[in-house]
Amino acid sequence: MNLTLISPELWMTLLSCVVLSIDFLAPQFSKKGLATLSIIGMALIMLHLVAMTWFGVQGTLFNTMFVLDPLAIFFKIFILFSTILLLLASLDYVDRLPHFQGEYYYLILFTALGMMFMASANDLLSLFITLEFSTFGFYILVAYLREDVKSNEAGIKFFILGVLAAALIAFGISLIYGDTGTILFYEIAKISPKISIGLVIGLLFIFIGIGFKIGAFPFHAWIPDVYQGAPTPVTAYLSIAPKAAALCLSLRIAFATLSDLKPDWVWLIAAISIFSMTYGNITAIAQKNMKRLLAYSGIAQIGNILIGMAAGTKMGSDAVLFYLLTYLFANLGAFVVVIIYSNMTQKDNIDDLSGLNRRSPLMAFAMLLFLLSLAGVPPLAGFVGKVYVFLAAVEQGLYLLVSIGLINVVISFYYYLIVVKKMYAVEPEEMTPISLSIPLRLVLYAGIIGVLWLGIWPKPFIDWSVSATHIFTHLMSQ
Amino acid sequence: MAQILFFYFGGMTVLSAIVAVATPHLIYSALSLLVTFIHIAGLYILLHAEFIAAIQIIIYAGAILVLYLFVLMLFHSKQEPRYLHRQLPVGIFLGLVLLGMMVLAAFRSEILGQIGTMNDKLGHTKAIGMALYTDFVFPFEMASLILLVAMFGAILLAGRTVRRKSDGSA
């Protein structure tokens, strides 16, 4: 058994346990030190993963239940990178928590570990277990502010709906197992051309569960309340990393396992995509709270990502990966601005951002770039991502999907630009400048660089996405 | 002998289940549920399913029932008003329907009289252990990590808060 394949996860487990032990054995150890340790540790694990890509390490473990391939490595690096940015962004926030400061860090680490496992899950049982693993961390993190009623409410809602989704997935898995006698993806792939009723219903249940995790349209109901109630850094994390990990799983299921059933699931995903985009964008217009606005815009962005999936080709999967990268920088960046602002003022309504330019030009400029990138304005990252996704769909002749997508891009401009207008054109109620700590500045700069780089010179990242999805070469369009 | 034991375990299961539903005292109800669980475990042993019997006692009789008892003791209830008894006919009807469906399913399906490929010499517990630690070791270990996280969760969300002096000066 080649344990090198699972070594990033083993290191990550070790790191989480070390952080945990330091926190309770040496309470006097500064919490910032814990965060620094976690960040350095994760950066090293990222380097390790990069080295693994370099040497072309790949293979499967545990009776093919765990797979390490370029796709898994891509998502692991993605998750680690977003976790690092998130920890940097939450340093100040954690300082203000009344209790359990150290615990915050290792819960984040464990959640990241769960999602790294998710990227490698290669059978139905580990799909379920890893999905639950990462979600458990989030249940706790969402309800982290014990004295805050909204956070408690969000925690309860998230927990109940999350458990429901888990129950649906478990039920679906049992149907598939009962019908096919296997839980391993590659064995299901062999069986899948033969459609049987248990397989179809089971897969639908699993898609519902995954749809819940990524917050696609009919399963999005938890998103606004949970995003608003959860601690802002947790919301930022929730809006990116678990979605990426769940998309990795759905790519694995739809593209690798069920590629023979493609004509059947394309329409399902296209429909979910259309509804997510339209619903997310139209509802976002009416929002007064910045976190809710980003929540609805997140639903719409998932719709855009699903366009790439609906294309169902190798190019479609490249587009999904690349879009996720652009989404990471823009969305996390926008959340960081909200984090800074609500840290300073305890407010997170859109109106409160009025005149941000006068109080902190850097923040306002960063927010401008992030929102324009989310909207898809050239030459920013979001533009390239959207073009890529739309091209993949056009190539497959999904013109209706693409035209609805384009209409939605126009709608989304409206609410993104309202925020921009408030920041630049409205006079602020108070003029006190907002000071930024060094870690927060770092995250903002990382976001700005990311958004610009992916927009102006996306080639290295596109190459990376293309090479990461080489397991889907059988879907190359003729 | 096995016949006598079966009727003993089966009869006690039914009797204690009726007591659990019928008694007005919640604590008695929970305790007779405990008797039910233990006798169901006896039925499992008669079926040579010793692993499930042990799990039945550990999880149901041990963990879940203790949880019930804790909840009941927090209630402070003297006697529940017997509001459910008006719905007795409905309950009996639904119970009979469920029972009928189970009997129907049992006689229709191929479960009855089916013999699997289990090697009897190995024993169930050993077979399950072998499967858990070889083929399914990955999800199994993952479950242990989930339990760790769940334990944090219980402490963080429900444990007593120790307010630390914030080291904001650092």
Side-chain angles (χ1 to χ4, degrees), chain A residues 62 65-66 98-101 106-107 110 117 126 129 140 143 146, chain B residues 135-139 142 146 148-149 152-153 156-157 159 161 163 167:
Chain A
F62 307 119
M65 284 185 171
F66 179 95
H99 46 71
F100 300 135
Q101 297 184 340
Y106 59 71
L107 272 175
F110 269 114
F117 274 124
S126 24
I129 295 248
I140 305 163
R146 280 171 43 167
Chain B
D135 288 352
F136 297 97
V137 66
F138 175 59
M142 200 78 60
I146 296 184
L148 183 65
V149 174
F152 293 152
L156 290 180
L157 296 181
T161 328
R163 273 187 182 273
D167 40 359

PDB file of all heavy atoms in Angstrom, chain A residues 62 65-66 98-101 106-107 110 117 126 129 140 143 146, chain B residues 135-139 142 146 148-149 152-153 156-157 159 161 163 167:
ATOM      1  N   PHE A  62      -6.902   1.747  -0.783  1.00  0.00           N
ATOM      2  CA  PHE A  62      -8.042   1.176  -0.062  1.00  0.00           C
ATOM      3  C   PHE A  62      -9.090   0.644  -1.032  1.00  0.00           C
ATOM      4  O   PHE A  62     -10.229   1.098  -1.018  1.00  0.00           O
ATOM      5  CB  PHE A  62      -8.701   2.218   0.856  1.00  0.00           C
ATOM      6  CG  PHE A  62      -7.752   2.895   1.779  1.00  0.00           C
ATOM      7  CD1 PHE A  62      -7.579   4.267   1.716  1.00  0.00           C
ATOM      8  CD2 PHE A  62      -7.044   2.169   2.707  1.00  0.00           C
ATOM      9  CE1 PHE A  62      -6.706   4.885   2.561  1.00  0.00           C
ATOM     10  CE2 PHE A  62      -6.172   2.800   3.555  1.00  0.00           C
ATOM     11  CZ  PHE A  62      -6.000   4.154   3.492  1.00  0.00           C
ATOM     12  N   MET A  65     -11.114   3.104  -2.979  1.00  0.00           N
ATOM     13  CA  MET A  65     -12.012   4.056  -2.330  1.00  0.00           C
ATOM     14  C   MET A  65     -11.397   5.453  -2.270  1.00  0.00           C
ATOM     15  O   MET A  65     -12.096   6.443  -2.114  1.00  0.00           O
ATOM     16  CB  MET A  65     -12.318   3.591  -0.914  1.00  0.00           C
ATOM     17  CG  MET A  65     -13.299   2.459  -0.892  1.00  0.00           C
ATOM     18  SD  MET A  65     -13.715   2.078   0.763  1.00  0.00           S
ATOM     19  CE  MET A  65     -15.030   0.937   0.502  1.00  0.00           C
ATOM     20  N   PHE A  66     -10.102   5.514  -2.325  1.00  0.00           N
ATOM     21  CA  PHE A  66      -9.419   6.805  -2.252  1.00  0.00           C
ATOM     22  C   PHE A  66      -8.615   6.940  -3.525  1.00  0.00           C
ATOM     23  O   PHE A  66      -7.883   6.028  -3.899  1.00  0.00           O
ATOM     24  CB  PHE A  66      -8.492   6.811  -1.030  1.00  0.00           C
ATOM     25  CG  PHE A  66      -7.712   8.077  -0.851  1.00  0.00           C
ATOM     26  CD1 PHE A  66      -8.202   9.070  -0.018  1.00  0.00           C
ATOM     27  CD2 PHE A  66      -6.510   8.268  -1.494  1.00  0.00           C
ATOM     28  CE1 PHE A  66      -7.491  10.238   0.150  1.00  0.00           C
ATOM     29  CE2 PHE A  66      -5.803   9.440  -1.329  1.00  0.00           C
ATOM     30  CZ  PHE A  66      -6.294  10.421  -0.494  1.00  0.00           C
ATOM     31  N   PRO A  98     -15.546  36.157  22.095  1.00  0.00           N
ATOM     32  CA  PRO A  98     -15.472  36.159  23.561  1.00  0.00           C
ATOM     33  C   PRO A  98     -14.904  34.867  24.116  1.00  0.00           C
ATOM     34  O   PRO A  98     -14.403  34.845  25.230  1.00  0.00           O
ATOM     35  CB  PRO A  98     -16.936  36.349  23.981  1.00  0.00           C
ATOM     36  CG  PRO A  98     -17.743  35.910  22.822  1.00  0.00           C
ATOM     37  CD  PRO A  98     -16.926  36.197  21.610  1.00  0.00           C
ATOM     38  N   HIS A  99     -15.023  33.784  23.393  1.00  0.00           N
ATOM     39  CA  HIS A  99     -14.534  32.519  23.920  1.00  0.00           C
ATOM     40  C   HIS A  99     -14.137  31.603  22.774  1.00  0.00           C
ATOM     41  O   HIS A  99     -14.434  31.869  21.614  1.00  0.00           O
ATOM     42  CB  HIS A  99     -15.609  31.842  24.758  1.00  0.00           C
ATOM     43  CG  HIS A  99     -16.956  31.845  24.112  1.00  0.00           C
ATOM     44  ND1 HIS A  99     -17.250  31.079  23.029  1.00  0.00           N
ATOM     45  CD2 HIS A  99     -18.069  32.576  24.374  1.00  0.00           C
ATOM     46  CE1 HIS A  99     -18.494  31.317  22.650  1.00  0.00           C
ATOM     47  NE2 HIS A  99     -19.014  32.220  23.436  1.00  0.00           N
ATOM     48  N   PHE A 100     -13.470  30.523  23.125  1.00  0.00           N
ATOM     49  CA  PHE A 100     -13.078  29.484  22.173  1.00  0.00           C
ATOM     50  C   PHE A 100     -12.348  30.063  20.964  1.00  0.00           C
ATOM     51  O   PHE A 100     -12.756  29.864  19.830  1.00  0.00           O
ATOM     52  CB  PHE A 100     -14.307  28.715  21.689  1.00  0.00           C
ATOM     53  CG  PHE A 100     -15.070  28.026  22.776  1.00  0.00           C
ATOM     54  CD1 PHE A 100     -16.449  28.099  22.840  1.00  0.00           C
ATOM     55  CD2 PHE A 100     -14.401  27.312  23.749  1.00  0.00           C
ATOM     56  CE1 PHE A 100     -17.149  27.454  23.841  1.00  0.00           C
ATOM     57  CE2 PHE A 100     -15.101  26.673  24.748  1.00  0.00           C
ATOM     58  CZ  PHE A 100     -16.468  26.742  24.788  1.00  0.00           C
ATOM     59  N   GLN A 101     -11.253  30.769  21.235  1.00  0.00           N
ATOM     60  CA  GLN A 101     -10.527  31.337  20.099  1.00  0.00           C
ATOM     61  C   GLN A 101      -9.667  30.287  19.407  1.00  0.00           C
ATOM     62  O   GLN A 101      -9.643  30.209  18.188  1.00  0.00           O
ATOM     63  CB  GLN A 101      -9.657  32.487  20.578  1.00  0.00           C
ATOM     64  CG  GLN A 101     -10.495  33.607  21.144  1.00  0.00           C
ATOM     65  CD  GLN A 101      -9.657  34.780  21.523  1.00  0.00           C
ATOM     66  OE1 GLN A 101      -8.457  34.651  21.717  1.00  0.00           O
ATOM     67  NE2 GLN A 101     -10.274  35.930  21.643  1.00  0.00           N
ATOM     68  N   TYR A 106      -8.626  25.065  14.893  1.00  0.00           N
ATOM     69  CA  TYR A 106      -8.543  23.664  14.493  1.00  0.00           C
ATOM     70  C   TYR A 106      -9.849  23.144  13.931  1.00  0.00           C
ATOM     71  O   TYR A 106      -9.846  22.174  13.180  1.00  0.00           O
ATOM     72  CB  TYR A 106      -7.927  22.762  15.570  1.00  0.00           C
ATOM     73  CG  TYR A 106      -8.572  22.688  16.900  1.00  0.00           C
ATOM     74  CD1 TYR A 106      -9.787  22.051  17.085  1.00  0.00           C
ATOM     75  CD2 TYR A 106      -7.942  23.232  18.005  1.00  0.00           C
ATOM     76  CE1 TYR A 106     -10.351  21.969  18.328  1.00  0.00           C
ATOM     77  CE2 TYR A 106      -8.506  23.160  19.255  1.00  0.00           C
ATOM     78  CZ  TYR A 106      -9.713  22.529  19.420  1.00  0.00           C
ATOM     79  OH  TYR A 106     -10.271  22.452  20.648  1.00  0.00           O
ATOM     80  N   LEU A 107     -10.963  23.794  14.233  1.00  0.00           N
ATOM     81  CA  LEU A 107     -12.183  23.387  13.525  1.00  0.00           C
ATOM     82  C   LEU A 107     -12.071  23.682  12.039  1.00  0.00           C
ATOM     83  O   LEU A 107     -12.457  22.877  11.199  1.00  0.00           O
ATOM     84  CB  LEU A 107     -13.392  24.111  14.112  1.00  0.00           C
ATOM     85  CG  LEU A 107     -14.016  23.390  15.286  1.00  0.00           C
ATOM     86  CD1 LEU A 107     -15.115  24.222  15.876  1.00  0.00           C
ATOM     87  CD2 LEU A 107     -14.546  22.046  14.842  1.00  0.00           C
ATOM     88  N   PHE A 110      -9.851  21.029  10.575  1.00  0.00           N
ATOM     89  CA  PHE A 110     -10.512  19.749  10.401  1.00  0.00           C
ATOM     90  C   PHE A 110     -11.492  19.801   9.237  1.00  0.00           C
ATOM     91  O   PHE A 110     -11.622  18.839   8.473  1.00  0.00           O
ATOM     92  CB  PHE A 110     -11.254  19.342  11.679  1.00  0.00           C
ATOM     93  CG  PHE A 110     -10.405  18.518  12.601  1.00  0.00           C
ATOM     94  CD1 PHE A 110     -10.014  18.989  13.829  1.00  0.00           C
ATOM     95  CD2 PHE A 110      -9.986  17.261  12.214  1.00  0.00           C
ATOM     96  CE1 PHE A 110      -9.221  18.230  14.667  1.00  0.00           C
ATOM     97  CE2 PHE A 110      -9.201  16.497  13.042  1.00  0.00           C
ATOM     98  CZ  PHE A 110      -8.812  16.988  14.281  1.00  0.00           C
ATOM     99  N   PHE A 117     -10.356  15.241   1.805  1.00  0.00           N
ATOM    100  CA  PHE A 117     -10.760  13.854   1.610  1.00  0.00           C
ATOM    101  C   PHE A 117     -11.862  13.760   0.558  1.00  0.00           C
ATOM    102  O   PHE A 117     -11.884  12.857  -0.264  1.00  0.00           O
ATOM    103  CB  PHE A 117     -11.251  13.247   2.918  1.00  0.00           C
ATOM    104  CG  PHE A 117     -10.162  12.677   3.779  1.00  0.00           C
ATOM    105  CD1 PHE A 117      -9.987  13.090   5.081  1.00  0.00           C
ATOM    106  CD2 PHE A 117      -9.316  11.706   3.279  1.00  0.00           C
ATOM    107  CE1 PHE A 117      -8.993  12.551   5.880  1.00  0.00           C
ATOM    108  CE2 PHE A 117      -8.317  11.157   4.069  1.00  0.00           C
ATOM    109  CZ  PHE A 117      -8.163  11.584   5.373  1.00  0.00           C
ATOM    110  N   SER A 126     -17.379   6.499   0.904  1.00  0.00           N
ATOM    111  CA  SER A 126     -16.497   7.588   1.309  1.00  0.00           C
ATOM    112  C   SER A 126     -17.064   8.931   0.866  1.00  0.00           C
ATOM    113  O   SER A 126     -16.818   9.943   1.529  1.00  0.00           O
ATOM    114  CB  SER A 126     -15.064   7.406   0.825  1.00  0.00           C
ATOM    115  OG  SER A 126     -14.975   6.607  -0.274  1.00  0.00           O
ATOM    116  N   ILE A 129     -19.312   9.707   3.830  1.00  0.00           N
ATOM    117  CA  ILE A 129     -18.593   9.972   5.080  1.00  0.00           C
ATOM    118  C   ILE A 129     -17.807  11.270   4.989  1.00  0.00           C
ATOM    119  O   ILE A 129     -17.824  12.089   5.913  1.00  0.00           O
ATOM    120  CB  ILE A 129     -17.662   8.783   5.387  1.00  0.00           C
ATOM    121  CG1 ILE A 129     -18.497   7.556   5.652  1.00  0.00           C
ATOM    122  CG2 ILE A 129     -16.727   9.101   6.517  1.00  0.00           C
ATOM    123  CD1 ILE A 129     -18.475   7.053   7.043  1.00  0.00           C
ATOM    124  N   ILE A 140     -20.782  23.316  13.449  1.00  0.00           N
ATOM    125  CA  ILE A 140     -20.277  23.951  14.667  1.00  0.00           C
ATOM    126  C   ILE A 140     -19.872  25.397  14.378  1.00  0.00           C
ATOM    127  O   ILE A 140     -20.196  26.311  15.128  1.00  0.00           O
ATOM    128  CB  ILE A 140     -19.084  23.161  15.210  1.00  0.00           C
ATOM    129  CG1 ILE A 140     -19.490  21.710  15.402  1.00  0.00           C
ATOM    130  CG2 ILE A 140     -18.582  23.742  16.510  1.00  0.00           C
ATOM    131  CD1 ILE A 140     -18.338  20.775  15.534  1.00  0.00           C
ATOM    132  N   ALA A 143     -22.724  27.980  14.101  1.00  0.00           N
ATOM    133  CA  ALA A 143     -23.359  28.366  15.364  1.00  0.00           C
ATOM    134  C   ALA A 143     -22.323  28.842  16.377  1.00  0.00           C
ATOM    135  O   ALA A 143     -22.554  28.798  17.575  1.00  0.00           O
ATOM    136  CB  ALA A 143     -24.139  27.187  15.916  1.00  0.00           C
ATOM    137  N   ARG A 146     -22.176  31.879  20.380  1.00  0.00           N
ATOM    138  CA  ARG A 146     -23.228  31.295  21.198  1.00  0.00           C
ATOM    139  C   ARG A 146     -24.204  32.316  21.721  1.00  0.00           C
ATOM    140  O   ARG A 146     -25.359  32.012  21.995  1.00  0.00           O
ATOM    141  CB  ARG A 146     -22.612  30.533  22.358  1.00  0.00           C
ATOM    142  CG  ARG A 146     -22.130  29.195  21.913  1.00  0.00           C
ATOM    143  CD  ARG A 146     -21.337  28.474  22.943  1.00  0.00           C
ATOM    144  NE  ARG A 146     -21.896  28.543  24.282  1.00  0.00           N
ATOM    145  CZ  ARG A 146     -21.490  27.774  25.274  1.00  0.00           C
ATOM    146  NH1 ARG A 146     -20.558  26.896  25.054  1.00  0.00           N
ATOM    147  NH2 ARG A 146     -22.003  27.890  26.461  1.00  0.00           N
TER     148      ARG A 146
ATOM    149  N   ASP B 135     -11.264  -3.916   3.761  1.00  0.00           N
ATOM    150  CA  ASP B 135     -11.882  -3.237   2.621  1.00  0.00           C
ATOM    151  C   ASP B 135     -12.356  -1.834   2.987  1.00  0.00           C
ATOM    152  O   ASP B 135     -12.264  -0.906   2.195  1.00  0.00           O
ATOM    153  CB  ASP B 135     -13.086  -4.042   2.118  1.00  0.00           C
ATOM    154  CG  ASP B 135     -12.645  -5.299   1.415  1.00  0.00           C
ATOM    155  OD1 ASP B 135     -11.425  -5.421   1.203  1.00  0.00           O
ATOM    156  OD2 ASP B 135     -13.495  -6.133   1.091  1.00  0.00           O
ATOM    157  N   PHE B 136     -12.892  -1.696   4.187  1.00  0.00           N
ATOM    158  CA  PHE B 136     -13.561  -0.439   4.510  1.00  0.00           C
ATOM    159  C   PHE B 136     -12.790   0.370   5.533  1.00  0.00           C
ATOM    160  O   PHE B 136     -13.378   1.152   6.274  1.00  0.00           O
ATOM    161  CB  PHE B 136     -14.977  -0.722   5.007  1.00  0.00           C
ATOM    162  CG  PHE B 136     -15.833  -1.366   3.968  1.00  0.00           C
ATOM    163  CD1 PHE B 136     -16.015  -2.729   3.929  1.00  0.00           C
ATOM    164  CD2 PHE B 136     -16.405  -0.596   2.975  1.00  0.00           C
ATOM    165  CE1 PHE B 136     -16.779  -3.313   2.956  1.00  0.00           C
ATOM    166  CE2 PHE B 136     -17.171  -1.180   1.988  1.00  0.00           C
ATOM    167  CZ  PHE B 136     -17.359  -2.544   1.977  1.00  0.00           C
ATOM    168  N   VAL B 137     -11.483   0.202   5.564  1.00  0.00           N
ATOM    169  CA  VAL B 137     -10.723   0.881   6.606  1.00  0.00           C
ATOM    170  C   VAL B 137     -10.749   2.394   6.407  1.00  0.00           C
ATOM    171  O   VAL B 137     -10.763   3.158   7.366  1.00  0.00           O
ATOM    172  CB  VAL B 137      -9.274   0.341   6.673  1.00  0.00           C
ATOM    173  CG1 VAL B 137      -8.513   0.683   5.432  1.00  0.00           C
ATOM    174  CG2 VAL B 137      -8.574   0.836   7.902  1.00  0.00           C
ATOM    175  N   PHE B 138     -10.846   2.825   5.147  1.00  0.00           N
ATOM    176  CA  PHE B 138     -10.809   4.270   4.888  1.00  0.00           C
ATOM    177  C   PHE B 138     -12.045   4.977   5.458  1.00  0.00           C
ATOM    178  O   PHE B 138     -11.919   5.888   6.286  1.00  0.00           O
ATOM    179  CB  PHE B 138     -10.651   4.496   3.378  1.00  0.00           C
ATOM    180  CG  PHE B 138     -10.717   5.914   2.938  1.00  0.00           C
ATOM    181  CD1 PHE B 138      -9.824   6.852   3.432  1.00  0.00           C
ATOM    182  CD2 PHE B 138     -11.681   6.324   2.037  1.00  0.00           C
ATOM    183  CE1 PHE B 138      -9.883   8.162   3.026  1.00  0.00           C
ATOM    184  CE2 PHE B 138     -11.740   7.631   1.620  1.00  0.00           C
ATOM    185  CZ  PHE B 138     -10.847   8.551   2.122  1.00  0.00           C
ATOM    186  N   PRO B 139     -13.271   4.550   5.077  1.00  0.00           N
ATOM    187  CA  PRO B 139     -14.436   5.203   5.707  1.00  0.00           C
ATOM    188  C   PRO B 139     -14.487   4.999   7.218  1.00  0.00           C
ATOM    189  O   PRO B 139     -14.940   5.882   7.943  1.00  0.00           O
ATOM    190  CB  PRO B 139     -15.637   4.509   5.055  1.00  0.00           C
ATOM    191  CG  PRO B 139     -15.132   3.723   3.943  1.00  0.00           C
ATOM    192  CD  PRO B 139     -13.678   3.584   4.059  1.00  0.00           C
ATOM    193  N   MET B 142     -12.277   7.454   8.844  1.00  0.00           N
ATOM    194  CA  MET B 142     -12.880   8.769   8.659  1.00  0.00           C
ATOM    195  C   MET B 142     -13.969   8.994   9.696  1.00  0.00           C
ATOM    196  O   MET B 142     -14.112  10.082  10.250  1.00  0.00           O
ATOM    197  CB  MET B 142     -13.479   8.826   7.262  1.00  0.00           C
ATOM    198  CG  MET B 142     -13.715  10.183   6.753  1.00  0.00           C
ATOM    199  SD  MET B 142     -12.196  10.849   6.224  1.00  0.00           S
ATOM    200  CE  MET B 142     -11.799   9.654   5.012  1.00  0.00           C
ATOM    201  N   ILE B 146     -14.760  12.036  12.358  1.00  0.00           N
ATOM    202  CA  ILE B 146     -16.046  12.727  12.511  1.00  0.00           C
ATOM    203  C   ILE B 146     -16.448  12.742  13.975  1.00  0.00           C
ATOM    204  O   ILE B 146     -16.912  13.775  14.491  1.00  0.00           O
ATOM    205  CB  ILE B 146     -17.147  12.028  11.691  1.00  0.00           C
ATOM    206  CG1 ILE B 146     -16.830  12.097  10.219  1.00  0.00           C
ATOM    207  CG2 ILE B 146     -18.489  12.670  11.950  1.00  0.00           C
ATOM    208  CD1 ILE B 146     -17.915  11.520   9.361  1.00  0.00           C
ATOM    209  N   LEU B 148     -14.523  12.762  16.495  1.00  0.00           N
ATOM    210  CA  LEU B 148     -13.695  13.761  17.177  1.00  0.00           C
ATOM    211  C   LEU B 148     -14.294  15.153  16.989  1.00  0.00           C
ATOM    212  O   LEU B 148     -14.463  15.919  17.953  1.00  0.00           O
ATOM    213  CB  LEU B 148     -12.277  13.702  16.609  1.00  0.00           C
ATOM    214  CG  LEU B 148     -11.245  14.615  17.231  1.00  0.00           C
ATOM    215  CD1 LEU B 148     -10.998  14.213  18.672  1.00  0.00           C
ATOM    216  CD2 LEU B 148      -9.940  14.555  16.462  1.00  0.00           C
ATOM    217  N   VAL B 149     -14.636  15.471  15.739  1.00  0.00           N
ATOM    218  CA  VAL B 149     -15.205  16.796  15.466  1.00  0.00           C
ATOM    219  C   VAL B 149     -16.535  16.968  16.192  1.00  0.00           C
ATOM    220  O   VAL B 149     -16.819  18.017  16.777  1.00  0.00           O
ATOM    221  CB  VAL B 149     -15.379  17.000  13.946  1.00  0.00           C
ATOM    222  CG1 VAL B 149     -16.092  18.296  13.665  1.00  0.00           C
ATOM    223  CG2 VAL B 149     -14.050  16.991  13.268  1.00  0.00           C
ATOM    224  N   PHE B 152     -15.939  17.880  19.777  1.00  0.00           N
ATOM    225  CA  PHE B 152     -15.660  19.320  19.923  1.00  0.00           C
ATOM    226  C   PHE B 152     -16.955  20.093  19.880  1.00  0.00           C
ATOM    227  O   PHE B 152     -17.175  21.003  20.665  1.00  0.00           O
ATOM    228  CB  PHE B 152     -14.849  19.878  18.755  1.00  0.00           C
ATOM    229  CG  PHE B 152     -13.470  19.380  18.658  1.00  0.00           C
ATOM    230  CD1 PHE B 152     -12.845  19.325  17.437  1.00  0.00           C
ATOM    231  CD2 PHE B 152     -12.792  18.979  19.782  1.00  0.00           C
ATOM    232  CE1 PHE B 152     -11.574  18.864  17.335  1.00  0.00           C
ATOM    233  CE2 PHE B 152     -11.510  18.520  19.679  1.00  0.00           C
ATOM    234  CZ  PHE B 152     -10.903  18.455  18.442  1.00  0.00           C
ATOM    235  N   GLY B 153     -17.783  19.729  18.908  1.00  0.00           N
ATOM    236  CA  GLY B 153     -19.015  20.475  18.692  1.00  0.00           C
ATOM    237  C   GLY B 153     -19.861  20.487  19.935  1.00  0.00           C
ATOM    238  O   GLY B 153     -20.356  21.530  20.356  1.00  0.00           O
ATOM    239  N   LEU B 156     -18.157  22.728  22.474  1.00  0.00           N
ATOM    240  CA  LEU B 156     -18.132  24.148  22.115  1.00  0.00           C
ATOM    241  C   LEU B 156     -19.518  24.766  22.192  1.00  0.00           C
ATOM    242  O   LEU B 156     -19.682  25.900  22.629  1.00  0.00           O
ATOM    243  CB  LEU B 156     -17.600  24.328  20.692  1.00  0.00           C
ATOM    244  CG  LEU B 156     -16.138  24.043  20.476  1.00  0.00           C
ATOM    245  CD1 LEU B 156     -15.792  24.270  19.028  1.00  0.00           C
ATOM    246  CD2 LEU B 156     -15.309  24.950  21.339  1.00  0.00           C
ATOM    247  N   LEU B 157     -20.514  24.006  21.744  1.00  0.00           N
ATOM    248  CA  LEU B 157     -21.836  24.618  21.626  1.00  0.00           C
ATOM    249  C   LEU B 157     -22.652  24.479  22.893  1.00  0.00           C
ATOM    250  O   LEU B 157     -23.510  25.314  23.172  1.00  0.00           O
ATOM    251  CB  LEU B 157     -22.609  23.990  20.468  1.00  0.00           C
ATOM    252  CG  LEU B 157     -21.991  24.212  19.103  1.00  0.00           C
ATOM    253  CD1 LEU B 157     -22.844  23.574  18.044  1.00  0.00           C
ATOM    254  CD2 LEU B 157     -21.844  25.681  18.820  1.00  0.00           C
ATOM    255  N   GLY B 159     -21.153  23.171  26.094  1.00  0.00           N
ATOM    256  CA  GLY B 159     -20.380  23.127  27.338  1.00  0.00           C
ATOM    257  C   GLY B 159     -20.432  24.447  28.082  1.00  0.00           C
ATOM    258  O   GLY B 159     -20.886  25.459  27.553  1.00  0.00           O
ATOM    259  N   THR B 161     -19.292  27.837  29.392  1.00  0.00           N
ATOM    260  CA  THR B 161     -18.367  28.796  28.802  1.00  0.00           C
ATOM    261  C   THR B 161     -17.375  29.258  29.857  1.00  0.00           C
ATOM    262  O   THR B 161     -17.772  29.716  30.925  1.00  0.00           O
ATOM    263  CB  THR B 161     -19.107  30.037  28.303  1.00  0.00           C
ATOM    264  OG1 THR B 161     -20.381  29.628  27.887  1.00  0.00           O
ATOM    265  CG2 THR B 161     -18.358  30.704  27.204  1.00  0.00           C
ATOM    266  N   ARG B 163     -14.973  32.098  30.227  1.00  0.00           N
ATOM    267  CA  ARG B 163     -14.561  33.321  29.553  1.00  0.00           C
ATOM    268  C   ARG B 163     -13.077  33.538  29.770  1.00  0.00           C
ATOM    269  O   ARG B 163     -12.607  33.652  30.887  1.00  0.00           O
ATOM    270  CB  ARG B 163     -15.331  34.519  30.096  1.00  0.00           C
ATOM    271  CG  ARG B 163     -16.622  34.696  29.356  1.00  0.00           C
ATOM    272  CD  ARG B 163     -17.286  35.966  29.794  1.00  0.00           C
ATOM    273  NE  ARG B 163     -18.559  36.062  29.093  1.00  0.00           N
ATOM    274  CZ  ARG B 163     -18.659  36.611  27.897  1.00  0.00           C
ATOM    275  NH1 ARG B 163     -17.592  37.121  27.316  1.00  0.00           N
ATOM    276  NH2 ARG B 163     -19.819  36.666  27.303  1.00  0.00           N
ATOM    277  N   ASP B 167      -6.659  38.182  24.885  1.00  0.00           N
ATOM    278  CA  ASP B 167      -5.275  38.662  24.788  1.00  0.00           C
ATOM    279  C   ASP B 167      -5.189  39.664  23.639  1.00  0.00           C
ATOM    280  O   ASP B 167      -4.409  39.514  22.726  1.00  0.00           O
ATOM    281  CB  ASP B 167      -4.302  37.512  24.610  1.00  0.00           C
ATOM    282  CG  ASP B 167      -4.847  36.446  23.670  1.00  0.00           C
ATOM    283  OD1 ASP B 167      -5.996  36.616  23.180  1.00  0.00           O
ATOM    284  OD2 ASP B 167      -4.136  35.496  23.413  1.00  0.00           O
TER     285      ASP B 167
END
